[in-house]
Amino acid sequence: MVAPVSASRLTMERVRAAQDTLRLVVPESRFLASVKLSTRGGGWVYLKLENEGPTGSFKVRGAYYALDVRQKQMNGKLPGVVTSSTGNHGAAVAYAAFMHHVPARIYLPENPNPAKKARIADFGAEIVEVGKYLEETRQHAAKFAEESTWYDVVDGSEPEMLPGTATIACEILDKLHHVDVFFVPVGDSTLIRGFAFAAKQLRPGVKIVGVQAERAPAYALSFAKGHAISTDCSDTVADGLSVRDTIEENVREIATLVDEFILVSDEEMLGAMRHLLMQEHVLAEPAGAATTAAFLKSETKYAKKMAVLLVTGSNVTEELLLRALQTR
């Protein structure tokens, strides 16, 4: 049996094992050298296109690997998998369940992103809409998991997702050996904790910049204060970053791995979406464009540096895309 792992117990051996597992089901994502952003910042800027994966989001890496580990622990007899999500994590779990031939139930907050809901439905998962905020939705998923003995893959607290997200850093640094700074969006923190661990193992001294929405700043506030802080609301166009509660252990891990946080407004993310689509020919949802927004508002700070921006998702509604295109 493989023991669960937090970032503090994560090893590069586990990360490389996850890379081997994912290689067959999650194609290595593309790099794109951005001439426009490089010119603006006076350095070298690359986009890591995690928005092009099988579910349109990076989330599939962590979800697939975690489910693969649990399925092996259960000798292939896992009864089912459940999770709560604003969309992308749910689609990733649905995809992982589909690939492992186990049933899945995905709990979404009321009135979910229709593009993300459709992604989940594509993989045949049962969908339950309940709760105004993700934290309430998560309670319903946990209750079902307890009653059914299904595996609850909780984004932000499932440790076996970390090796999967760490593989993104490996793909980058196995090819680019002189990266100075990474911009990483932060929702439930699984991405930045896994990614930053591997990045700093492979390139000690590289800077990690976490990016959150101004209207959902829980981890940025926790990072600044040095302890877990929750916010009253998380009403942002970036549903992938819409988190109100933080976890103390995650905050401690982030403190050892992350160098800085940048907060971006909804308008800045919409503007970054427009830039990515019109200038880079890259479709991104608000959370996926958050790192571009953060770079654009701090570009002079990274003059002469090599920066990599993670573009983490492309599941955007037509309405929001049109709104982004009208942003100047």
mmCIF file of all heavy atoms in Angstrom, residues 16-53:
data_model
loop_
_atom_site.group_PDB
_atom_site.id
_atom_site.type_symbol
_atom_site.label_atom_id
_atom_site.label_comp_id
_atom_site.label_asym_id
_atom_site.label_seq_id
_atom_site.Cartn_x
_atom_site.Cartn_y
_atom_site.Cartn_z
ATOM 1 N N ARG A 16 8.178 11.483 -9.934
ATOM 2 C CA ARG A 16 8.554 10.803 -11.169
ATOM 3 C C ARG A 16 7.669 9.575 -11.413
ATOM 4 O O ARG A 16 7.359 9.240 -12.568
ATOM 5 C CB ARG A 16 10.028 10.404 -11.128
ATOM 6 C CG ARG A 16 11.002 11.582 -11.107
ATOM 7 C CD ARG A 16 10.863 12.453 -12.346
ATOM 8 N NE ARG A 16 11.910 13.483 -12.426
ATOM 9 C CZ ARG A 16 11.986 14.415 -13.354
ATOM 10 N NH1 ARG A 16 11.049 14.506 -14.286
ATOM 11 N NH2 ARG A 16 12.971 15.298 -13.348
ATOM 12 N N ALA A 17 7.257 8.912 -10.335
ATOM 13 C CA ALA A 17 6.330 7.782 -10.484
ATOM 14 C C ALA A 17 4.988 8.271 -11.037
ATOM 15 O O ALA A 17 4.372 7.624 -11.896
ATOM 16 C CB ALA A 17 6.129 7.086 -9.143
ATOM 17 N N ALA A 18 4.541 9.433 -10.553
ATOM 18 C CA ALA A 18 3.308 10.008 -11.076
ATOM 19 C C ALA A 18 3.457 10.362 -12.547
ATOM 20 O O ALA A 18 2.522 10.176 -13.338
ATOM 21 C CB ALA A 18 2.937 11.258 -10.265
ATOM 22 N N GLN A 19 4.633 10.849 -12.926
ATOM 23 C CA GLN A 19 4.884 11.174 -14.331
ATOM 24 C C GLN A 19 4.726 9.930 -15.203
ATOM 25 O O GLN A 19 4.130 9.976 -16.280
ATOM 26 C CB GLN A 19 6.309 11.734 -14.482
ATOM 27 C CG GLN A 19 6.365 13.043 -15.197
ATOM 28 C CD GLN A 19 7.767 13.589 -15.333
ATOM 29 O OE1 GLN A 19 8.663 13.294 -14.549
ATOM 30 N NE2 GLN A 19 7.950 14.408 -16.340
ATOM 31 N N ASP A 20 5.253 8.798 -14.723
ATOM 32 C CA ASP A 20 5.136 7.549 -15.484
ATOM 33 C C ASP A 20 3.680 7.119 -15.608
ATOM 34 O O ASP A 20 3.246 6.649 -16.669
ATOM 35 C CB ASP A 20 5.946 6.445 -14.796
ATOM 36 C CG ASP A 20 7.449 6.654 -14.924
ATOM 37 O OD1 ASP A 20 7.870 7.396 -15.837
ATOM 38 O OD2 ASP A 20 8.198 6.102 -14.093
ATOM 39 N N THR A 21 2.923 7.280 -14.539
ATOM 40 C CA THR A 21 1.509 6.896 -14.557
ATOM 41 C C THR A 21 0.705 7.777 -15.513
ATOM 42 O O THR A 21 -0.127 7.286 -16.284
ATOM 43 C CB THR A 21 0.910 7.011 -13.143
ATOM 44 O OG1 THR A 21 1.574 6.090 -12.270
ATOM 45 C CG2 THR A 21 -0.583 6.713 -13.147
ATOM 46 N N LEU A 22 0.957 9.079 -15.461
ATOM 47 C CA LEU A 22 0.162 10.023 -16.240
ATOM 48 C C LEU A 22 0.528 10.057 -17.710
ATOM 49 O O LEU A 22 -0.271 10.485 -18.547
ATOM 50 C CB LEU A 22 0.312 11.435 -15.647
ATOM 51 C CG LEU A 22 -0.254 11.629 -14.239
ATOM 52 C CD1 LEU A 22 0.107 13.008 -13.711
ATOM 53 C CD2 LEU A 22 -1.761 11.433 -14.236
ATOM 54 N N ARG A 23 1.723 9.612 -18.037
ATOM 55 C CA ARG A 23 2.217 9.729 -19.417
ATOM 56 C C ARG A 23 1.261 9.082 -20.423
ATOM 57 O O ARG A 23 1.135 9.544 -21.559
ATOM 58 C CB ARG A 23 3.606 9.106 -19.499
ATOM 59 C CG ARG A 23 4.331 9.358 -20.819
ATOM 60 C CD ARG A 23 5.781 8.926 -20.730
ATOM 61 N NE ARG A 23 6.578 9.867 -19.939
ATOM 62 C CZ ARG A 23 7.227 9.543 -18.824
ATOM 63 N NH1 ARG A 23 7.147 8.318 -18.341
ATOM 64 N NH2 ARG A 23 7.933 10.445 -18.187
ATOM 65 N N LEU A 24 0.584 8.035 -20.020
ATOM 66 C CA LEU A 24 -0.277 7.288 -20.946
ATOM 67 C C LEU A 24 -1.676 7.895 -21.093
ATOM 68 O O LEU A 24 -2.394 7.568 -22.038
ATOM 69 C CB LEU A 24 -0.397 5.836 -20.475
ATOM 70 C CG LEU A 24 0.904 5.029 -20.429
ATOM 71 C CD1 LEU A 24 0.642 3.635 -19.870
ATOM 72 C CD2 LEU A 24 1.531 4.943 -21.814
ATOM 73 N N VAL A 25 -2.077 8.758 -20.154
ATOM 74 C CA VAL A 25 -3.464 9.253 -20.169
ATOM 75 C C VAL A 25 -3.582 10.773 -20.222
ATOM 76 O O VAL A 25 -4.637 11.310 -20.574
ATOM 77 C CB VAL A 25 -4.246 8.739 -18.935
ATOM 78 C CG1 VAL A 25 -4.477 7.246 -19.024
ATOM 79 C CG2 VAL A 25 -3.534 9.104 -17.635
ATOM 80 N N VAL A 26 -2.514 11.476 -19.875
ATOM 81 C CA VAL A 26 -2.520 12.937 -19.897
ATOM 82 C C VAL A 26 -1.340 13.402 -20.746
ATOM 83 O O VAL A 26 -0.206 13.389 -20.295
ATOM 84 C CB VAL A 26 -2.400 13.535 -18.480
ATOM 85 C CG1 VAL A 26 -2.437 15.064 -18.537
ATOM 86 C CG2 VAL A 26 -3.511 13.014 -17.580
ATOM 87 N N PRO A 27 -1.577 13.782 -21.980
ATOM 88 C CA PRO A 27 -0.470 14.202 -22.853
ATOM 89 C C PRO A 27 0.301 15.370 -22.251
ATOM 90 O O PRO A 27 -0.271 16.239 -21.595
ATOM 91 C CB PRO A 27 -1.185 14.633 -24.146
ATOM 92 C CG PRO A 27 -2.515 13.969 -24.090
ATOM 93 C CD PRO A 27 -2.882 13.872 -22.644
ATOM 94 N N GLU A 28 1.608 15.387 -22.453
ATOM 95 C CA GLU A 28 2.423 16.493 -21.977
ATOM 96 C C GLU A 28 1.931 17.789 -22.607
ATOM 97 O O GLU A 28 1.743 17.877 -23.815
ATOM 98 C CB GLU A 28 3.888 16.257 -22.330
ATOM 99 C CG GLU A 28 4.820 17.328 -21.818
ATOM 100 C CD GLU A 28 6.285 16.957 -21.990
ATOM 101 O OE1 GLU A 28 6.624 15.766 -21.856
ATOM 102 O OE2 GLU A 28 7.083 17.879 -22.264
ATOM 103 N N SER A 29 1.707 18.794 -21.783
ATOM 104 C CA SER A 29 1.128 20.036 -22.290
ATOM 105 C C SER A 29 2.178 20.899 -22.989
ATOM 106 O O SER A 29 3.368 20.818 -22.706
ATOM 107 C CB SER A 29 0.465 20.833 -21.153
ATOM 108 O OG SER A 29 1.397 21.150 -20.149
ATOM 109 N N ARG A 30 1.707 21.736 -23.911
ATOM 110 C CA ARG A 30 2.600 22.526 -24.756
ATOM 111 C C ARG A 30 3.173 23.733 -24.021
ATOM 112 O O ARG A 30 2.593 24.248 -23.075
ATOM 113 C CB ARG A 30 1.840 23.064 -25.975
ATOM 114 C CG ARG A 30 1.448 22.051 -27.005
ATOM 115 C CD ARG A 30 1.001 22.746 -28.275
ATOM 116 N NE ARG A 30 -0.134 23.642 -28.069
ATOM 117 C CZ ARG A 30 -0.201 24.878 -28.549
ATOM 118 N NH1 ARG A 30 0.808 25.394 -29.232
ATOM 119 N NH2 ARG A 30 -1.285 25.622 -28.347
ATOM 120 N N PHE A 31 4.353 24.162 -24.498
ATOM 121 C CA PHE A 31 4.914 25.462 -24.155
ATOM 122 C C PHE A 31 4.599 26.412 -25.289
ATOM 123 O O PHE A 31 4.561 26.032 -26.453
ATOM 124 C CB PHE A 31 6.440 25.393 -24.092
ATOM 125 C CG PHE A 31 6.983 24.925 -22.791
ATOM 126 C CD1 PHE A 31 7.727 23.769 -22.731
ATOM 127 C CD2 PHE A 31 6.781 25.655 -21.635
ATOM 128 C CE1 PHE A 31 8.257 23.336 -21.543
ATOM 129 C CE2 PHE A 31 7.317 25.226 -20.441
ATOM 130 C CZ PHE A 31 8.055 24.067 -20.391
ATOM 131 N N LEU A 32 4.420 27.665 -24.966
ATOM 132 C CA LEU A 32 4.284 28.688 -25.988
ATOM 133 C C LEU A 32 5.137 29.877 -25.589
ATOM 134 O O LEU A 32 4.952 30.456 -24.512
ATOM 135 C CB LEU A 32 2.817 29.119 -26.129
ATOM 136 C CG LEU A 32 2.520 30.210 -27.156
ATOM 137 C CD1 LEU A 32 2.831 29.719 -28.562
ATOM 138 C CD2 LEU A 32 1.070 30.653 -27.051
ATOM 139 N N ALA A 33 6.097 30.222 -26.416
ATOM 140 C CA ALA A 33 6.895 31.414 -26.167
ATOM 141 C C ALA A 33 6.072 32.627 -26.563
ATOM 142 O O ALA A 33 5.620 32.730 -27.703
ATOM 143 C CB ALA A 33 8.188 31.355 -26.976
ATOM 144 N N SER A 34 5.870 33.531 -25.641
ATOM 145 C CA SER A 34 5.041 34.702 -25.897
ATOM 146 C C SER A 34 5.912 35.894 -26.277
ATOM 147 O O SER A 34 6.557 36.504 -25.417
ATOM 148 C CB SER A 34 4.203 35.051 -24.664
ATOM 149 O OG SER A 34 3.532 36.281 -24.870
ATOM 150 N N VAL A 35 5.905 36.235 -27.547
ATOM 151 C CA VAL A 35 6.670 37.387 -28.018
ATOM 152 C C VAL A 35 6.082 38.671 -27.438
ATOM 153 O O VAL A 35 6.806 39.571 -26.993
ATOM 154 C CB VAL A 35 6.683 37.441 -29.558
ATOM 155 C CG1 VAL A 35 7.381 38.711 -30.043
ATOM 156 C CG2 VAL A 35 7.366 36.199 -30.123
ATOM 157 N N LYS A 36 4.756 38.767 -27.428
ATOM 158 C CA LYS A 36 4.090 39.977 -26.944
ATOM 159 C C LYS A 36 4.419 40.252 -25.476
ATOM 160 O O LYS A 36 4.788 41.370 -25.099
ATOM 161 C CB LYS A 36 2.581 39.844 -27.112
ATOM 162 C CG LYS A 36 2.096 39.807 -28.554
ATOM 163 C CD LYS A 36 2.148 41.188 -29.185
ATOM 164 C CE LYS A 36 1.515 41.171 -30.566
ATOM 165 N NZ LYS A 36 1.531 42.505 -31.201
ATOM 166 N N LEU A 37 4.286 39.227 -24.634
ATOM 167 C CA LEU A 37 4.552 39.415 -23.214
ATOM 168 C C LEU A 37 6.046 39.605 -22.944
ATOM 169 O O LEU A 37 6.427 40.369 -22.053
ATOM 170 C CB LEU A 37 4.012 38.233 -22.411
ATOM 171 C CG LEU A 37 2.484 38.099 -22.368
ATOM 172 C CD1 LEU A 37 2.079 36.817 -21.672
ATOM 173 C CD2 LEU A 37 1.844 39.300 -21.674
ATOM 174 N N SER A 38 6.881 38.920 -23.710
ATOM 175 C CA SER A 38 8.321 39.078 -23.547
ATOM 176 C C SER A 38 8.740 40.509 -23.866
ATOM 177 O O SER A 38 9.543 41.118 -23.153
ATOM 178 C CB SER A 38 9.076 38.098 -24.453
ATOM 179 O OG SER A 38 8.815 36.756 -24.091
ATOM 180 N N THR A 39 8.179 41.054 -24.925
ATOM 181 C CA THR A 39 8.502 42.428 -25.316
ATOM 182 C C THR A 39 8.050 43.418 -24.260
ATOM 183 O O THR A 39 8.777 44.350 -23.902
ATOM 184 C CB THR A 39 7.833 42.773 -26.665
ATOM 185 O OG1 THR A 39 8.288 41.849 -27.660
ATOM 186 C CG2 THR A 39 8.169 44.181 -27.091
ATOM 187 N N ARG A 40 6.860 43.202 -23.706
ATOM 188 C CA ARG A 40 6.326 44.115 -22.685
ATOM 189 C C ARG A 40 7.154 44.069 -21.413
ATOM 190 O O ARG A 40 7.398 45.092 -20.771
ATOM 191 C CB ARG A 40 4.873 43.766 -22.379
ATOM 192 C CG ARG A 40 3.912 44.089 -23.510
ATOM 193 C CD ARG A 40 2.487 43.854 -23.103
ATOM 194 N NE ARG A 40 2.127 44.665 -21.942
ATOM 195 C CZ ARG A 40 0.901 45.089 -21.691
ATOM 196 N NH1 ARG A 40 -0.092 44.803 -22.528
ATOM 197 N NH2 ARG A 40 0.638 45.800 -20.615
ATOM 198 N N GLY A 41 7.603 42.857 -21.034
ATOM 199 C CA GLY A 41 8.337 42.724 -19.784
ATOM 200 C C GLY A 41 9.834 42.887 -19.927
ATOM 201 O O GLY A 41 10.549 42.986 -18.927
ATOM 202 N N GLY A 42 10.323 42.897 -21.164
ATOM 203 C CA GLY A 42 11.754 43.047 -21.368
ATOM 204 C C GLY A 42 12.549 41.811 -21.013
ATOM 205 O O GLY A 42 13.765 41.885 -20.806
ATOM 206 N N GLY A 43 11.877 40.662 -20.936
ATOM 207 C CA GLY A 43 12.564 39.414 -20.617
ATOM 208 C C GLY A 43 12.114 38.309 -21.541
ATOM 209 O O GLY A 43 11.931 38.533 -22.746
ATOM 210 N N TRP A 44 11.897 37.132 -20.977
ATOM 211 C CA TRP A 44 11.459 35.979 -21.758
ATOM 212 C C TRP A 44 10.271 35.364 -21.025
ATOM 213 O O TRP A 44 10.380 34.991 -19.851
ATOM 214 C CB TRP A 44 12.575 34.952 -21.883
ATOM 215 C CG TRP A 44 13.807 35.510 -22.537
ATOM 216 C CD1 TRP A 44 14.149 35.444 -23.852
ATOM 217 C CD2 TRP A 44 14.859 36.236 -21.883
ATOM 218 N NE1 TRP A 44 15.349 36.083 -24.076
ATOM 219 C CE2 TRP A 44 15.812 36.582 -22.897
ATOM 220 C CE3 TRP A 44 15.107 36.649 -20.574
ATOM 221 C CZ2 TRP A 44 16.971 37.292 -22.611
ATOM 222 C CZ3 TRP A 44 16.246 37.358 -20.288
ATOM 223 C CH2 TRP A 44 17.169 37.674 -21.298
ATOM 224 N N VAL A 45 9.165 35.251 -21.720
ATOM 225 C CA VAL A 45 7.942 34.745 -21.095
ATOM 226 C C VAL A 45 7.427 33.545 -21.869
ATOM 227 O O VAL A 45 7.291 33.591 -23.101
ATOM 228 C CB VAL A 45 6.847 35.832 -21.036
ATOM 229 C CG1 VAL A 45 5.581 35.280 -20.376
ATOM 230 C CG2 VAL A 45 7.348 37.055 -20.280
ATOM 231 N N TYR A 46 7.145 32.478 -21.132
ATOM 232 C CA TYR A 46 6.568 31.274 -21.714
ATOM 233 C C TYR A 46 5.227 30.991 -21.050
ATOM 234 O O TYR A 46 5.035 31.246 -19.857
ATOM 235 C CB TYR A 46 7.481 30.057 -21.491
ATOM 236 C CG TYR A 46 8.750 30.081 -22.301
ATOM 237 C CD1 TYR A 46 9.874 30.770 -21.850
ATOM 238 C CD2 TYR A 46 8.829 29.415 -23.520
ATOM 239 C CE1 TYR A 46 11.046 30.788 -22.591
ATOM 240 C CE2 TYR A 46 10.002 29.421 -24.265
ATOM 241 C CZ TYR A 46 11.103 30.114 -23.803
ATOM 242 O OH TYR A 46 12.256 30.141 -24.538
ATOM 243 N N LEU A 47 4.309 30.454 -21.833
ATOM 244 C CA LEU A 47 3.023 30.001 -21.323
ATOM 245 C C LEU A 47 3.029 28.482 -21.287
ATOM 246 O O LEU A 47 3.388 27.833 -22.274
ATOM 247 C CB LEU A 47 1.879 30.484 -22.211
ATOM 248 C CG LEU A 47 1.798 31.996 -22.471
ATOM 249 C CD1 LEU A 47 0.687 32.284 -23.476
ATOM 250 C CD2 LEU A 47 1.575 32.766 -21.175
ATOM 251 N N LYS A 48 2.642 27.891 -20.159
ATOM 252 C CA LYS A 48 2.495 26.444 -20.050
ATOM 253 C C LYS A 48 1.004 26.145 -20.166
ATOM 254 O O LYS A 48 0.201 26.494 -19.296
ATOM 255 C CB LYS A 48 3.044 25.953 -18.706
ATOM 256 C CG LYS A 48 2.933 24.456 -18.472
ATOM 257 C CD LYS A 48 3.724 23.622 -19.453
ATOM 258 C CE LYS A 48 3.833 22.178 -18.964
ATOM 259 N NZ LYS A 48 4.316 21.258 -19.999
ATOM 260 N N LEU A 49 0.632 25.511 -21.285
ATOM 261 C CA LEU A 49 -0.778 25.411 -21.667
ATOM 262 C C LEU A 49 -1.451 24.175 -21.076
ATOM 263 O O LEU A 49 -1.745 23.192 -21.760
ATOM 264 C CB LEU A 49 -0.883 25.431 -23.191
ATOM 265 C CG LEU A 49 -0.308 26.678 -23.860
ATOM 266 C CD1 LEU A 49 -0.487 26.615 -25.367
ATOM 267 C CD2 LEU A 49 -0.940 27.954 -23.295
ATOM 268 N N GLU A 50 -1.757 24.282 -19.787
ATOM 269 C CA GLU A 50 -2.495 23.217 -19.104
ATOM 270 C C GLU A 50 -3.983 23.256 -19.432
ATOM 271 O O GLU A 50 -4.742 22.405 -18.984
ATOM 272 C CB GLU A 50 -2.289 23.335 -17.590
ATOM 273 C CG GLU A 50 -0.920 22.913 -17.131
ATOM 274 C CD GLU A 50 -0.684 21.426 -17.312
ATOM 275 O OE1 GLU A 50 -1.473 20.620 -16.786
ATOM 276 O OE2 GLU A 50 0.284 21.062 -18.000
ATOM 277 N N ASN A 51 -4.392 24.228 -20.214
ATOM 278 C CA ASN A 51 -5.793 24.356 -20.630
ATOM 279 C C ASN A 51 -6.146 23.423 -21.781
ATOM 280 O O ASN A 51 -7.296 23.362 -22.198
ATOM 281 C CB ASN A 51 -6.083 25.793 -21.052
ATOM 282 C CG ASN A 51 -5.185 26.261 -22.187
ATOM 283 O OD1 ASN A 51 -4.004 25.896 -22.244
ATOM 284 N ND2 ASN A 51 -5.704 27.059 -23.089
ATOM 285 N N GLU A 52 -5.169 22.700 -22.306
ATOM 286 C CA GLU A 52 -5.411 21.861 -23.492
ATOM 287 C C GLU A 52 -5.530 20.370 -23.172
ATOM 288 O O GLU A 52 -5.589 19.549 -24.078
ATOM 289 C CB GLU A 52 -4.277 22.074 -24.493
ATOM 290 C CG GLU A 52 -4.218 23.474 -25.053
ATOM 291 C CD GLU A 52 -3.133 23.674 -26.097
ATOM 292 O OE1 GLU A 52 -2.215 22.815 -26.188
ATOM 293 O OE2 GLU A 52 -3.193 24.672 -26.830
ATOM 294 N N GLY A 53 -5.564 20.006 -21.900
ATOM 295 C CA GLY A 53 -5.640 18.596 -21.526
ATOM 296 C C GLY A 53 -6.997 17.978 -21.809
ATOM 297 O O GLY A 53 -7.912 18.638 -22.321
#
